[in-house]
Amino acid sequence: MTRTTLTPNHKPTLDAIAWMEKLAATLSSDTPAQAALLFEQDGYWRDLVAFTWNIKTLAGRTAISDMIVATMPTATPSNWRIDEDATETDGVIEAWFTFETREAKGRGYLRLREGLAWTFLTTMTELKDYPEKRNKLRPKGAEHGANKNRQTWLEKRQHEQATLGYSEQPYCLIIGGGQGGIGLGARLRQLEVPTIIIDALPKPGDTWRNRYKSLSLHDPIWYDHMPIFHFPKTGRYSPPRTRSVIG
Ligand SMILES: Cc1cc2nc3c(=O)[nH]c(=O)nc-3n(C[C@H](O)[C@H](O)[C@H](O)COP(=O)(O)OP(=O)(O)OC[C@H]3O[C@@H](n4cnc5c(N)ncnc54)[C@H](O)[C@@H]3O)c2cc1C
C-alpha cells in the first residue's frame, strides 16, 4: 500500500512534508509540547491506540499539549513520512503518512489549513515485536518427516475447543460476539493470545440474523470486510445480513 515515490515539486505534498518535518523535530526536542503550536487553536488530534493506548480525541492546543507531555517520553516517535502525494481542495491540504513509536508502526491522516493542522489522526497498525502472521510469516501448516502421533488441523482445533475455558484458561475474555468482538478475537488469535468470546445469543452472527428479513449492509462491500476474513471479490455490493457476520 505504501507508495515510495512522491511527485517532485508537488506543492501540497511539499507543504505536508514541511509540516511533518517541523512536527518530528519538535516532538524529539527538549520542548515537545511546543508541537501543539503546529495545530490550529481549536485543532484536533485523534489517536487510535498509537500514543495513548486508547481511543482519544484531543480537542484544542491545551489538550494536545497535555497528551504530548504524557505520552511522548515513552512513545518516542520517529520515521514520520508522507507516503502518498497530498491533495488540496478549497485551501485544505490532506495527506496520508506513516510513523513509528518505540513499540509499534502506525499510519495516519493530516489535514492542514494555512500551515496549521486542523485534524491529525494517528492509528497503530502493528506491534513491532508481534507482527501478524500473514503473507511470508503465515504458519507453515504442513509438517514433514515421520511422526505417527501428528495431529491434523481438525484434531488440534477439537482439542482447543475441549480444553480452552475448561482445563486451560484464556488470557482474554470478550463479552459480546458481534462484528467488533469477532474481529478482535481474530486479531488476538493471530497474536497467539488465548481468547474466548461469549455472547448472550446462541450463535455468532445471531445479532444480525435476528433482524428483519431483508436487511443488508448500507455501505458498499469494500468498507464492510471483517479483519483477516474478507468478503469474496464476487460478493454483492450490499452484503445481505446472513453474510455480514460469519453468515
Ligand atoms: C440496519 C443496520 C445497518 C447497518 N449497516 C452498516 C453498514 O453498512 N456498514 C457498517 O460498517 N456498519 C453498519 N451498521 C452498523 C454496524 O452494524 C454496527 O456498528 C456494528 O454491528 C457494531 O458492532 P459491535 O460488535 O460493536 O456490536 P453488535 O453488533 O451490536 O454486537 C454486540 C454483541 O454483544 C452481545 N451482547 C450484548 N450484551 C451482552 C451481554 N451482557 N452478555 C453477552 N453478550 C452480550 C449481543 O448479543 C451482540 O451479539 C449497521 C447497523 C444497522 C442496525
Side-chain angles (χ1 to χ4, degrees):
M1 189 194 320
T2 301
R3 281 178 52 172
T4 50
T5 52
L6 300 172
T7 307
N9 301 322
H10 184 247
K11 175 91 171 46
T13 304
L14 292 178
D15 287 353
I17 291 172
W19 185 91
M20 194 60 76
E21 285 174 350
K22 276 189 262 178
L23 178 82
T26 314
L27 288 180
S28 57
S29 73
D30 293 339
T31 53
Q34 295 286 314
L37 299 175
L38 297 169
F39 288 73
E40 292 181 359
Q41 184 69 42
D42 297 322
Y44 294 90
W45 183 333
R46 183 157 171 77
D47 181 59
L48 307 184
V49 186
F51 293 95
T52 59
W53 296 89
N54 211 324
I55 296 175
K56 292 274 185 197
T57 302
L58 296 316
R61 284 182 181 163
T62 305
I64 291 169
S65 150
D66 289 349
M67 187 275 271
I68 290 171
V69 169
T71 63
M72 293 304 147
T74 46
T76 59
S78 60
N79 283 332
W80 298 93
R81 297 216 193 300
I82 301 293
D83 76 339
E84 292 181 16
D85 276 332
T87 60
E88 183 166 9
T89 311
D90 297 332
V92 180
I93 291 174
E94 306 193 34
W96 287 101
F97 61 90
T98 56
F99 62 97
E100 291 182 29
T101 64
R102 193 173 66 186
E103 321 271 3
K105 295 182 181 177
R107 191 152 197 258
Y109 198 68
L110 165 68
R111 282 200 189 102
L112 283 178
R113 284 195 299 210
E114 296 181 3
L116 295 174
W118 170 27
T119 68
F120 187 61
L121 169 74
T122 48
T123 71
M124 185 187 289
T125 51
E126 190 162 65
L127 289 166
K128 285 181 184 169
D129 289 345
Y130 301 92
E132 237 174 38
K133 293 185 171 41
R134 55 184 138 90
N135 300 329
K136 286 183 180 170
L137 295 178
R138 69 174 74 233
K140 286 197 169 32
E143 290 172 38
H144 299 292
N147 176 3
K148 66 179 181 181
N149 296 319
R150 178 182 299 137
Q151 286 186 309
T152 64
W153 173 87
L154 180 61
E155 285 165 342
K156 286 180 188 164
R157 188 166 171 73
Q158 287 167 337
H159 174 77
E160 185 182 40
Q161 283 171 339
T163 55
L164 191 59
Y166 301 98
S167 55
E168 292 168 29
Q169 294 311 317
Y171 184 78
C172 183
L173 174 69
I174 298 174
I175 301 172
Q179 68 193 60
I182 291 174
L184 177 60
R187 290 264 183 239
L188 288 170
R189 172 169 280 279
Q190 295 310 305
L191 294 172
E192 297 177 2
V193 178
T195 301
I196 286 182
I197 306 171
I198 60 169
D199 200 288
L201 300 169
K203 285 193 308 233
D206 275 354
T207 185
W208 281 89
R209 229 172 259 115
N210 292 344
R211 289 181 181 273
Y212 57 94
K213 193 175 165 193
S214 60
L215 171 66
S216 59
L217 294 184
H218 298 153
D219 291 329
I221 187 167
W222 48 86
Y223 288 141
D224 301 324
H225 295 303
M226 297 290 287
I228 301 162
F229 188 69
H230 284 194
F231 288 111
K233 287 195 177 354
T234 51
R236 285 166 46 169
Y237 182 87
S238 297
R241 62 176 185 156
T242 46
R243 291 298 308 256
S244 299
V245 180
I246 314 292

